[in-house]
Amino acid sequence: MNDEILEFAEVEQPDEHARSAAIALHTKLIKPAGSLGRLEELGVWVAACQGQSPPRPFTRPRVVVFAGDHGVAAKGVSAYPGEVTAQLVGSMLTGGAAINVLAASAGASVRVVDMAVDSDAPATRSIGEFKVRRGSGSIDVEDALTDDEARAAVRAGRAIADAEVDGGADLLIAGDLGIGNSTPASVLVAALTGSEPVAVVGRGSGIDDNAWMRKAAAVRDALRRARTVLADPVALLRTTAGADIAAMAGFLAQASLRKTPVILDGLVASAAALVAEELVPGARQWWTAGQRGGEPAHALALEHLDLEPILDLDVRLGEGTGAVAALPLVFMATRVLAEMATHEQAGVSGPLIETPPAS
């Protein structure tokens, strides 16, 4: 596999002129400056990402769910058996999963990609164009992937992002699906934030105390291995991630290079985002955090990325559900700038004392 394939260009930052114009526009709308709080900040971020003020309302938000199984699940780190991943893929493809319901409510469409589901059932074959392997190595004792597999997964994530943007997607959400995937995600967060296992291990799918102890041991052992390759993001993915998370990292990195805003979901997406930021420094400027979930590692990842979540609803399902729950607020923030009247347009008097625009 050629190293050049994984070379990333330098990311351009969101447009500062559009950002400044959006901030100025907020002072002219028929409301006190700053009175819409975070909605104003979100609208400014969208304007900067789109490079225009007022920003365009979104027309094709897209959720891409990366599915894969993880060998470490066999160590009893999840409340569910491994075969549930393939079963849930089937539910997503028929529209019955949580992400399908929430995305439909929010006006987004859903795509499922099988990167490493441990199944060759018809449902998974139909979405397996980029499939790297079935499952992954048990990361507490072996690499998740080979070097070629890790590179193929990152490359797949980049290709998927390109295809979605070329197809008209103007806002992206990366969702995750895989039994046991909070374990490699927790290892990635611990490795990249310098945290200890006890600080990152949560209850995931609702595990009991015994399973938590097994999970903590697996994270501890995997973290020892991950720290030896910390300087190389692709090697870190090979050692720790699995093909689904590696593809998600490539997807998030490429989205930033394509100047496409992303709403991050929970722990797994945020762990992939940490690696994507290593692959493409500055990529995080193109992301906003949809929510703060209940996993301790998620809070650490958001702090490291310097992203303030929109919602705090303790959503820890994954699939992109927390990000999609925040989507209507991003829509509202965008449409306020695009459609709300100014004082001049409405003939409404402004404040007696000018309020300086928020920075």
Side-chain angles (χ1 to χ4, degrees):
M1 192 70 61
N2 193 325
D3 285 353
E4 292 183 54
I5 294 174
L6 289 186
E7 284 186 356
F8 287 85
E10 185 175 341
V11 68
E12 293 184 36
Q13 295 306 297
D15 191 289
E16 187 60 33
H17 294 295
R19 178 181 179 276
S20 297
I23 292 172
L25 177 55
H26 265 301
T27 68
K28 299 175 183 178
L29 302 179
I30 49 173
K31 61 176 178 60
S35 59
L36 287 178
R38 283 294 306 282
L39 288 178
E40 295 190 15
E41 296 175 17
L42 285 170
V44 168
W45 171 74
V46 172
C49 289
Q50 292 185 354
Q52 67 174 60
S53 177
R56 301 179 303 275
F58 293 104
T59 59
R60 196 170 187 270
R62 184 76 155 159
V63 183
V64 180
V65 179
F66 294 86
D69 280 302
H70 296 268
V72 73
K75 302 296 175 69
V77 298
S78 174
Y80 291 85
E83 59 264 26
V84 169
T85 302
Q87 293 166 358
L88 287 173
V89 165
S91 294
M92 279 189 188
L93 293 176
T94 57
I99 188 58
N100 302 110
V101 176
L102 295 181
S105 299
S109 57
V110 179
R111 174 184 179 182
V112 186
V113 181
D114 174 8
M115 293 302 305
V117 179
D118 191 14
S119 171
D120 196 32
T124 59
R125 286 201 301 271
S126 67
I127 55 172
E129 175 187 359
F130 296 100
K131 187 162 186 167
V132 169
R133 58 182 284 172
R134 290 178 57 168
S136 71
S138 187
I139 58 173
D140 54 334
V141 294
E142 61 184 331
D143 286 353
L145 306 165
T146 67
D147 192 64
D148 280 356
E149 288 168 345
R151 292 177 182 279
V154 174
R155 212 166 57 246
R158 298 184 71 179
I160 292 164
D162 281 337
E164 293 299 335
V165 175
D166 291 342
D170 51 6
L171 185 148
L172 294 171
I173 291 171
D176 64 274
L177 175 61
I179 298 303
N181 64 8
S182 70
T183 298
S186 297
V187 176
L188 287 170
V189 172
L192 290 169
T193 65
S195 303
E196 293 303 316
V198 70
V200 299
V201 178
R203 297 286 175 171
S205 54
I207 56 177
D208 61 18
D209 289 347
N210 288 332
W212 186 93
M213 288 187 285
R214 292 191 294 269
K215 183 175 180 179
V219 169
R220 177 200 64 208
D221 294 343
L223 183 57
R224 288 178 184 146
R225 305 182 67 259
R227 283 175 172 158
T228 66
V229 294
L230 196 52
D232 183 344
V234 176
L236 183 63
L237 292 170
R238 179 199 73 220
T239 304
T240 305
D244 50 343
I245 300 176
M248 197 180 300
F251 177 85
L252 294 172
Q254 191 67 15
S256 71
L257 294 174
R258 295 299 304 270
K259 301 182 180 181
T260 303
V262 172
I263 305 178
L264 296 180
D265 186 36
L267 167 58
V268 179
S270 297
L274 287 177
V275 183
E277 175 68 15
E278 296 291 313
L279 291 168
V280 181
R284 65 185 179 85
Q285 300 296 327
W286 294 90
W287 311 329
T288 191
Q291 57 117 6
R292 187 194 314 276
E295 288 287 299
H298 188 203
L300 289 169
L302 293 181
E303 181 180 0
H304 192 79
L305 291 167
D306 194 25
L307 295 176
E308 183 67 28
I310 298 170
L311 300 175
D312 192 349
L313 300 177
D314 196 26
V315 175
R316 52 189 171 84
L317 174 62
E319 301 180 7
T321 51
V324 167
L327 191 55
L329 293 175
V330 177
F331 290 169
M332 292 176 196
T334 304
R335 296 188 69 165
V336 162
L337 279 170
E339 301 173 18
M340 193 172 175
T342 65
H343 286 281
E344 182 180 358
Q345 290 167 338
V348 175
S349 298
L352 294 173
I353 301 174
E354 289 294 328
T355 304
S359 59

